[in-house]
Amino acid sequence: MSLPARSTAKSRALFAEALNLIPGGVNSPVRAFRNVGGEPFFAARAAGATVWDVDGNAYVDYVGTWGPAILGHAPEAVVRAVAEAAALGTSFGIPNAREVDLARKVVAWVPSVEKVRMTSSGTEACMAAVRLARGFTGREKIIKFEGCYHGHGDSLLVKAGSGALTHGEPDSAGVPAALAALTLSLPFNDLAAVRAAFEANPGEIAAVIVEPVPGNVGLLLPELGFHEGLRALCDAHGALLIFDEVMTGFRLAKGGAQEGIGVRPDLSTFGKVIGGGLPVGAFGGRADVMDHLAPLGKVYQAGTLSGNPLAMAAGLAQLAELERLDGFRKLEEIGAALEAGLRPLLAKARVPSQFHRRGSMFSLFFSAKPVRNCADALASDREAFKKFFFGLLDRGVYIAPSPFEAGFLSLAHGPEAIEATLRAAAEVLPTL
Ligand code: KE4
């Protein structure tokens, strides 16, 4: 069926100018469509499950600004809260009550978090959590997992996922070799490799940092016993366990991924959802560890806009809405509906594929064999993904422009959005 060509003239003109002013034309690499080819569209506005580009094309949005838009875009409660907060001052650099309100909510919702500190991004939160673990233990080495992405802090840009993987630079230039050597990057789901790393580096590993349900290499599903094994190994070797819940926190459950996994990390990092779309990150956990942070302790961490009143107001409004609307249960229902519609289409089109879903996060690998880790994800069919991506885009459905990202559902993804998505998939899948 021939489709009306999607007009892209205004996006193309903006991108041409952006390329002269901003490296790669984007303020974050994954937005550049480099993994699927072509040029990005420019967003004009978004509401609910829909984003409109500057040429007037509408898309059912499964990127959801990479996770924050869990209520859908421009939720009325969040927009109102930000407007009210802005009228009282956009930033103080002085303690304000909203910081206490959000800290109270994080501590109440996530049992492993006894104390929490706000930052302005997930990168800052993860960088700070690693520095805190090193300061608390007096050790320098850390373990991470291939394809997991913990922001662009130097120690964590080692075999990293997301945009780093998309652009084939999982080990970024500019990271000193001596520093990168302190980061041991292992295959996800491989407890034997973690055990061997601890035994080969006795008394030297400060922490294991892991995305409990990785969303930066597509969506990987933790195998039974993996996180329990990490907990036991960290306890046996005196290392801290850090769950990077920047993506999964306040999305997979009220208490994040750790609530369903049933393992208590020593530290957790957060972001995205708790900012309601404004710049927020956070890290928290055991009080005896967190109290090593300045001004109490000797581990320094700071931020001009940490605890910004607008960002706090947006996060508080978003979390309140999630609770008021029984959001976590509804997000599971929406995710199940998408999965129930998509699986028969994949089977009917006889496309070799692995569909992974956990709650409102999902991803589709074009692979005949199971995808357990980064290497398996890298071996999936990228060409098929590109065709799938543009086939959907031309039909008004926007998924992440890379197979090394996750899809995000929101409370605004109602039956019409899901049905439109399944109709588009039904047309595209047989063409792959
Ligand atoms: P930010 O610094 O981008 O706020 O957070 C870094 C981060 C940390 N930990 C996890 C698990 C994350 O997913 C992220 C950021 N996620 C990517 C999307 N895969 C952000 C999108 C981008 O880089 O533009």
Side-chain angles (χ1 to χ4, degrees):
M1 181 181 96
S2 68
L3 291 166
R6 208 163 35 93
S7 59
T8 58
K10 290 179 181 170
S11 281
R12 272 186 287 113
L14 273 167
F15 193 55
E17 183 182 8
L19 283 169
N20 294 328
L21 301 166
I22 308 166
V26 292
N27 282 309
S28 198
V30 74
R31 304 177 193 171
F33 276 32
R34 297 290 289 266
N35 201 274
V36 291
E39 296 185 355
F41 60 83
F42 277 61
R45 70 183 182 92
T50 307
V51 62
W52 287 265
D53 68 19
V54 292
D55 290 285
N57 302 299
Y59 308 96
V60 178
D61 177 18
Y62 287 99
V63 175
T65 176
W66 305 101
I70 195 167
L71 299 176
H73 289 290
E76 197 236 327
V78 173
V79 172
R80 188 174 60 244
V82 172
E84 287 169 3
L88 300 174
T90 55
S91 178
F92 303 122
I94 302 167
N96 70 91
R98 285 193 176 90
E99 294 172 88
V100 181
D101 294 341
L102 189 52
R104 186 187 310 116
K105 187 147 277 195
V106 171
V107 167
W109 283 25
V110 189
S112 69
V113 176
E114 297 168 345
K115 285 193 176 177
V116 61
R117 168 142 317 156
M118 296 295 158
T119 63
S120 296
S121 70
T123 290
E124 279 184 82
C126 292
M127 271 169 52
V130 165
R131 182 182 310 134
L132 177 58
R134 284 169 162 160
F136 177 77
T137 61
R139 301 175 177 181
E140 294 188 345
K141 290 181 181 174
I142 60 170
I143 288 173
K144 71 176 287 294
F145 295 91
E146 291 158 6
C148 282
Y149 177 72
H150 306 290
H152 62 89
D154 280 352
S155 282
L156 294 163
L157 274 183
V158 176
K159 292 193 175 52
S162 183
L165 197 59
T166 294
H167 301 293
E169 292 132 10
D171 305 295
S172 171
V175 175
L179 184 61
L182 297 176
T183 301
L184 312 175
S185 199
L186 305 175
F188 185 71
N189 277 325
D190 186 343
L191 267 183
V194 180
R195 187 174 297 109
F198 270 112
E199 287 162 4
N201 299 275
E204 295 181 70
I205 293 171
V208 173
I209 184 168
V210 63
E211 291 181 60
V213 181
N216 286 292
V217 59
L219 188 76
L220 296 182
L221 301 176
E223 290 169 355
L224 221 52
F226 179 64
H227 289 303
E228 292 80 355
L230 292 182
R231 179 69 275 172
L233 284 166
C234 285
D235 291 342
H237 294 274
L240 297 186
L241 179 58
I242 304 172
F243 272 9
D244 176 352
E245 296 232 37
V246 167
M247 205 181 249
T248 54
F250 307 96
R251 171 169 282 279
L252 293 189
K254 201 170 172 180
Q258 60 192 267
E259 179 181 301
I261 289 167
V263 166
R264 194 181 176 98
D266 300 297
L267 293 175
S268 300
T269 59
F270 304 102
K272 298 181 191 281
V273 169
I274 59 165
L278 271 67
V280 176
F283 62 109
R286 284 169 42 189
D288 65 316
V289 178
M290 292 296 287
D291 284 350
H292 279 70
L293 282 171
L296 284 181
K298 297 191 179 330
V299 179
Y300 196 72
Q301 178 275 332
T304 302
L305 298 175
S306 297
N308 171 272
L310 274 61
M312 297 297 100
L316 283 162
Q318 178 131 287
L319 296 184
E321 282 294 275
L322 271 174
E323 193 163 36
R324 182 179 72 85
L325 298 170
D326 193 13
F328 298 108
R329 184 182 58 77
K330 287 181 182 158
L331 285 164
E332 174 52 35
E333 287 174 358
I334 296 168
L338 177 69
E339 180 168 3
L342 193 57
R343 283 197 182 283
L345 298 179
L346 290 166
K348 187 176 173 207
R350 303 167 71 81
V351 176
S353 58
Q354 308 292 326
F355 180 76
H356 287 181
R357 180 179 75 84
R358 183 65 58 92
S360 57
M361 293 171 65
F362 65 91
S363 77
L364 183 61
F365 299 98
F366 291 103
S367 167
K369 72 187 192 76
V371 176
R372 298 180 61 240
N373 56 35
C374 184
D376 294 341
L378 282 169
S380 64
D381 184 341
R382 318 274 195 85
E383 287 312 307
F385 181 85
K386 286 181 188 176
K387 286 176 70 177
F388 185 60
F389 172 80
F390 281 109
L392 291 182
L393 196 68
D394 289 340
R395 290 166 175 80
V397 176
Y398 175 51
I399 62 171
S402 165
F404 308 126
E405 296 294 348
F408 299 95
L409 288 155
S410 80
L411 290 179
H413 284 78
E416 331 71 58
I418 301 296
E419 282 152 24
T421 304
L422 295 173
R423 276 197 305 276
E427 288 177 18
V428 178
L429 286 169
T431 68
L432 300 185

